[in-house]
């Protein structure tokens, strides 16, 4: 690990600002009747839940940032919509998890009976109890149940880590690892960098090695969306992605991919939006990668500038 150059620091800040500005400019569309008509229901609901997650951490890191006003307003209006609880249960495959996220990510000014009632169905169905689902899904469920303040009977984070892919990833080939499962395990253990992930020094060292190897692999593949997740995972594990060779390469790649208006134009170089894409088609290609990069760089640059306590140290537990 070396000292990041001033140029790399500026690149990271530019990437953070550009992607957040793009999300801010398009948040109003996401909450509009046009988006309801033009976007499939499940991806539309997922996109709004992702926007709420971004706003949650944006508000904790930079609550006075003027760029937060429009996205936060869209989230508040969405959580007040009488039809949104029906939309989040439209697809039975995701209904229970979406209900839990809906309750967990409700903005403070929009909490209503609907948000308090939302977790009742998953609880009644046994979704909040140990059952036959993957360790990762147990971990994700516990994370959002805890954010929502909902009682559950799920194992401890320590137990869930022990049976996770992350715990055994160092013994597997990088090419065989599920990047989303690895990174989201890190996010949920560390609350996206706001608390110590609870790993021993040896476990953390192995996890950092796995995440750095995956970052290098994904940079080589031009996988923009996955690289952004991995850059954030490095930070959440206590590493500084501006000081690791893979993290620095990932940040430079994302900055090079960013269009003049701040968008990351697809999940990867191979899946980038065509120059002839309609505005709606471009939005669908760009939204997830751009929002994911915005979240990653908001937390990484915020943490490095003193907006957050660095992950992996004892003070992290106080950043709540």
């Amino acid at each position: 690990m070396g000292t990041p150059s001033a140029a790399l620091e500026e690149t990271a800040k530019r990437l953070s600002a550009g992607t957040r500005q793009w999300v801010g400019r398009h948040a109003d569309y996401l909450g509009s009747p046009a988006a309801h008509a033009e976007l499939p229901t499940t991806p539309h609901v997922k996109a709004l839940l992702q926007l709420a997650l971004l706003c949650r951490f944006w508000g904790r890191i930079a609550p006075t940032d003027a760029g937060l006003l429009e996205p936060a307003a869209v989230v508040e209006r969405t959580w007040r919509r009488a039809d949104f609880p029906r939309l989040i249960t439209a697809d039975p495959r995701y209904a229970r998890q979406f209900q839990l996220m809906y309750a967990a990510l409700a903005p403070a000014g929009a909490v209503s009976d609907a948000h308090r009632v939302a977790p009742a169905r998953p609880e009644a169905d046994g979704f909040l109890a140990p059952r036959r689902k993957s360790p990762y899904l147990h971990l994700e469920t516990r994370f959002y149940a805890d954010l929502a303040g909902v009682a559950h009977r799920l194992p401890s984070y320590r137990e869930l880590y022990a049976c996770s892919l992350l715990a055994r990833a160092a013994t597997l080939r990088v090419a065989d690892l599920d990047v989303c499962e690895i990174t989201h395990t890190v996010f949920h253990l560390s609350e996206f960098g706001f608390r110590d992930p609870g790993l021993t020094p040896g476990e953390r060292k192995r996890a950092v090695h796995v995440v750095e190897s995956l970052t290098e692999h994904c940079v080589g593949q031009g996988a923009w969306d996955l690289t952004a997740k991995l850059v954030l995972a490095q930070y959440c594990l206590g590493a500084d992605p501006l000081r690791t060779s893979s993290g620095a390469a990932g940040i430079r790649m994302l900055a090079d991919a960013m269009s003049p208006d701040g968008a990351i134009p697809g999940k990867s170089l191979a899946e980038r939006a065509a120059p002839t894409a309609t505005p709606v088609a471009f939005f669908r290609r760009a939204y997830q990668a751009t929002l994911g990069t915005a979240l990653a760089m908001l937390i990484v640059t915020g943490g490095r500038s003193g907006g957050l306590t660095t992950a992996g140290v004892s003070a992290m537990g106080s950043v709540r």
Side-chain angles (χ1 to χ4, degrees):
M1 294 186 184
T3 302
S5 66
L8 182 58
E9 297 262 10
E10 287 305 311
T11 296
K13 292 176 183 178
R14 177 171 60 86
L15 181 60
S16 178
T19 50
R20 280 185 286 119
Q21 287 168 5
W22 187 90
V23 171
R25 284 194 300 271
H26 291 83
D28 189 57
Y29 165 72
L30 191 60
S32 70
H36 181 68
E38 295 168 348
L39 302 176
T41 298
T42 297
H44 187 199
V45 168
K46 184 177 180 181
L48 286 163
L49 292 170
Q50 290 170 332
L51 182 66
L53 182 69
L54 172 64
C55 288
R56 178 184 181 88
F57 293 112
W58 197 340
R60 291 173 73 170
I61 294 167
T64 61
D65 183 1
L68 174 60
L69 293 176
E70 185 57 32
V74 169
V75 171
E76 288 193 12
R77 289 196 299 269
T78 299
W79 260 247
R80 293 180 189 276
R81 282 171 48 183
D83 66 328
F84 196 57
R86 176 179 57 79
L87 294 178
I88 64 176
T89 59
D91 189 332
R93 295 173 300 170
Y94 305 106
R96 303 296 174 263
Q97 200 69 5
F98 282 1
Q99 285 176 309
L100 201 55
M101 294 172 71
Y102 172 68
L105 300 174
V111 174
S112 68
D113 289 342
H115 309 125
R116 286 185 282 268
V117 170
R121 184 71 176 274
E123 185 174 9
D125 291 347
F127 192 75
L128 299 178
R131 57 188 296 178
R132 294 179 64 183
K133 55 181 178 248
S134 70
Y136 168 72
L137 187 53
H138 274 103
L139 177 60
E140 182 180 62
T141 302
R142 168 152 194 162
F143 175 75
Y144 285 108
D146 286 348
L147 281 190
V150 176
H152 58 77
R153 290 176 286 145
L154 297 167
S156 68
Y157 285 106
R158 185 68 201 167
E159 292 173 291
L160 291 168
Y161 163 74
C163 56
S164 71
L165 176 62
L166 178 63
R168 62 181 190 279
T171 65
L172 303 173
R173 294 193 317 149
V174 167
D176 294 335
L177 295 175
D178 184 320
V179 174
C180 288
E181 186 169 339
I182 292 288
T183 54
H184 283 266
T185 296
V186 173
F187 300 157
H188 297 151
L189 289 173
S190 68
E191 197 185 347
F192 287 82
F194 277 80
R195 67 175 176 229
D196 190 300
L199 305 181
T200 67
E203 289 166 344
R204 191 193 72 84
K205 183 177 180 179
R206 289 190 292 274
V208 169
H209 175 72
V210 167
V211 170
E212 287 189 30
S213 297
L214 280 170
T215 308
E216 183 178 351
H217 178 71
C218 288
V219 168
Q221 293 187 321
W224 300 329
D225 183 45
L226 296 180
T227 296
K229 295 176 191 289
L230 288 160
V231 166
L232 177 54
Q234 288 192 22
Y235 175 84
C236 293
L237 288 168
D240 182 349
L242 273 72
R243 291 176 181 266
T244 67
S245 59
S246 63
I251 289 167
R252 291 190 184 99
M253 180 184 72
L254 289 165
D256 288 343
M258 186 173 66
S259 62
D261 68 351
I264 305 297
K267 290 186 177 183
S268 67
L269 180 61
E271 299 176 272
R272 71 183 304 156
T276 56
T278 65
V280 172
F282 185 88
F283 178 87
R284 293 186 65 181
R285 285 278 184 175
Y287 179 78
Q288 182 171 316
T290 307
L291 184 138
T293 302
L295 177 63
M297 298 314 301
L298 171 72
I299 293 175
V300 169
T301 58
R304 298 186 79 263
S305 63
L308 294 175
T309 305
T310 302
V313 298
S314 59
M316 175 54 76
S318 66
V319 185
R320 304 296 296 171

